[in-house]
Amino acid sequence: MKKILVIFLILLMVLTGCEAITGGPLGLEVIDEGQDYDQFLFRRGTFTWTKYGIYTVVNNKIRYLDKDDNWNLLCFDSECEHDSVNCSAYVETSSIFTYDDQLYYVLYKDNKFTLNKMDLMGKNREQIKILDINETEPMSTFECQIANNYLVLNYRYLNEITEPGVIKITNESATYVTSLDKQSPTKKFLSGYSYVAMISDYWLFYIQSETEEGIHSLKAYNFDTEKTITVFDNYNSYSKNVASIYNPEPNIFYWFNIEQGFMKMDTETLEKTVIKEADSRIQSGGAIYDDKYVYVTNSIPAPDNKDISDEQLGVYIYDHDGNYIDFVSTSNVKFIGYAFSAMNKLYLATTSTGTLPTLFYINKDDIGTGNLQWVVKR
């Protein structure tokens, strides 16, 4: 695979914590220009894949993960204070996304939502457009997802205070969709007790309340055709098990479910097929897909893994047909869960608000060799 090394001046400074803010290398090394691993992110925005490595935002500052798995500040000025938009690493948001070698982000200022972009060096910043979000109800928070050329914004309504000291929790929200260009309008797509569950390059998956008793369905909306289909009529029994839906091409969905196993769905016929049944002796929870493997993590506490022994807790690795390949234990590794996949590594992470995540990874080249083990990068 062709690699391009772009170096102006190498200044390698390893960040050991959020307080030690220093400049990164003046220039970025291209790690991979092949597979776009953004499509395998569980929740886009926390991390985003670029050809220079994974980017994330902590305390309004962009960091990127280099080929040696060190977090670097996306700033190339050793005199910079990193406290304003004049700094290439500073951004007034906590979520960033990548499309067509540009970083995208949404800002909320002066009661306006704006879509913005910059290059992968944090330079050439531009406001693309003001988003036409017209809501009379006050907002508690908003969440964004970007996939392919589409932005999805979920506007969550403020919790209703019914009496002093008592807060009524509401799940009501409004969801808007637009393209990343200047001209495309912002369309209101959902409202009420519906919210975005996940997103792929082709489909928007959302959960919709069907009855007052709390029965929910999982719907999928195709960005290009504007077609909506039902994936599950009753999503309640599946939601704790379907962690992600793999959508490598427009008309096929894949997922893992402990009640049924490795599943496949044709979006034209709506036919669901069991590729391989689940093994309830060792499997629990959901699964994450990437371009090569399926990762089933059973070590996160859940009612359906209470009978699994400590020696069996870990990450089980399968091919896309559900055939077992390898296992790596998590008995001595404490992590929150899946972070992201890259060309040669699978990353899991621990993190807390305002700190860089501690990463644990396995080398994919070791899968199936008998040498699979965790590597820790702090």
Side-chain angles (χ1 to χ4, degrees):
M1 181 176 294
K2 184 179 180 181
K3 292 186 177 180
I4 304 173
L5 185 63
V6 182
I7 300 180
F8 298 100
L9 175 66
I10 299 179
L11 177 60
L12 293 177
M13 300 295 291
V14 179
L15 297 179
T16 57
C18 290
E19 299 305 318
I21 300 175
T22 59
L26 185 57
L28 298 170
E29 181 177 353
V30 173
I31 296 176
D32 178 37
E33 290 188 287
Q35 179 70 257
D36 179 359
Y37 283 89
D38 263 336
Q39 63 180 300
F40 307 119
L41 292 172
F42 174 55
R43 290 291 293 178
R44 306 187 188 207
T46 302
F47 301 104
T48 191
W49 178 91
T50 80
K51 63 185 179 182
Y52 296 132
I54 296 291
Y55 284 40
T56 192
V57 177
V58 177
N59 291 334
N60 299 115
K61 298 172 184 68
I62 303 172
R63 271 86 171 184
Y64 68 93
L65 192 70
D66 63 22
K67 64 181 180 63
D68 297 317
D69 297 297
N70 297 314
W71 288 110
N72 297 273
L73 197 66
L74 191 69
C75 181
F76 318 105
D77 179 3
S78 60
E79 304 297 323
C80 183
E81 297 293 331
H82 317 300
D83 58 1
S84 74
V85 292
N86 294 322
C87 170
S88 57
Y90 188 87
V91 64
E92 296 175 293
T93 184
S94 60
S95 300
I96 53 172
F97 308 88
T98 314
Y99 175 71
D100 198 22
D101 285 342
Q102 297 284 310
L103 293 173
Y104 288 84
Y105 54 102
V106 173
L107 297 179
Y108 180 67
K109 285 184 175 182
D110 302 323
N111 295 319
K112 292 180 181 179
F113 291 92
T114 60
L115 175 62
N116 307 268
K117 71 176 181 179
M118 56 182 152
D119 63 29
L120 297 182
M121 306 284 280
K123 303 289 188 179
N124 300 312
R125 303 189 178 199
E126 174 189 349
Q127 178 180 300
I128 300 172
K129 60 186 174 184
I130 297 174
L131 301 175
D132 187 17
I133 309 291
N134 294 313
E135 294 294 330
T136 57
E137 295 293 329
M139 179 182 69
S140 63
T141 187
F142 73 95
E143 303 160 348
C144 294
Q145 295 281 296
I146 288 179
N148 207 334
N149 187 37
Y150 295 98
L151 163 69
V152 178
L153 186 147
N154 192 232
Y155 179 108
R156 291 188 177 274
Y157 298 132
L158 188 67
N159 293 334
E160 178 186 353
I161 301 176
T162 56
E163 59 183 85
V166 177
I167 297 179
K168 178 183 178 181
I169 303 299
T170 175
N171 291 320
E172 288 189 272
S173 63
T175 302
Y176 292 81
V177 177
T178 187
S179 297
L180 300 181
D181 58 74
K182 294 179 180 291
Q183 294 79 25
S184 297
T186 307
K187 299 179 180 179
K188 191 170 185 176
F189 174 67
L190 296 171
S191 62
Y193 293 97
S194 300
Y195 56 94
V196 176
M198 58 193 86
I199 190 172
S200 75
D201 283 350
Y202 308 106
W203 295 82
L204 164 65
F205 299 90
Y206 64 95
I207 298 171
Q208 180 169 296
S209 178
E210 298 290 352
T211 69
E212 293 182 358
E213 289 75 25
I215 301 299
H216 298 82
S217 63
L218 181 69
K219 306 282 188 180
Y221 167 81
N222 187 283
F223 290 114
D224 293 329
T225 65
E226 299 186 350
K227 170 185 176 181
T228 298
I229 62 174
T230 299
V231 183
F232 299 117
D233 288 319
N234 184 347
Y235 189 56
N236 298 55
S237 62
Y238 291 91
S239 59
K240 66 186 177 71
N241 294 322
V242 179
S244 67
I245 294 179
Y246 177 46
N247 181 210
E249 51 189 283
N251 299 327
I252 299 293
F253 297 159
Y254 294 90
W255 67 84
F256 171 81
N257 178 276
I258 187 59
E259 296 178 1
Q260 295 175 300
F262 296 87
M263 300 291 296
K264 176 181 179 181
M265 176 177 173
D266 186 312
T267 65
E268 296 295 328
T269 64
L270 303 185
E271 180 182 2
K272 297 183 180 74
T273 304
V274 178
I275 300 174
K276 193 160 190 174
E277 293 184 353
D279 184 352
S280 60
R281 296 172 301 171
I282 58 172
Q283 294 169 348
S284 72
I288 297 294
Y289 288 71
D290 68 13
D291 57 323
K292 296 179 181 178
Y293 303 110
V294 186
Y295 308 96
V296 180
T297 304
N298 68 2
S299 57
I300 299 174
D304 57 354
N305 70 354
K306 64 182 185 304
D307 297 327
I308 299 176
S309 67
D310 290 343
E311 293 76 18
Q312 294 176 312
L313 294 177
V315 179
Y316 289 79
I317 304 172
Y318 304 84
D319 64 20
H320 287 183
D321 292 324
N323 299 308
Y324 171 82
I325 300 177
D326 213 335
F327 166 79
V328 58
S329 173
T330 56
S331 60
N332 296 319
V333 179
K334 304 300 181 183
F335 59 83
I336 289 178
Y338 174 83
F340 49 85
S341 184
M343 181 172 61
N344 296 317
K345 298 172 183 176
L346 171 76
Y347 294 83
L348 290 90
T350 61
T351 186
S352 61
T353 303
T355 63
L356 283 168
T358 297
L359 295 176
F360 302 80
Y361 69 81
I362 56 174
N363 285 299
K364 293 183 184 179
D365 291 341
D366 293 335
I367 293 176
T369 66
N371 299 319
L372 197 61
Q373 60 183 344
W374 293 106
V375 180
V376 182
K377 294 294 292 190
R378 298 188 185 279

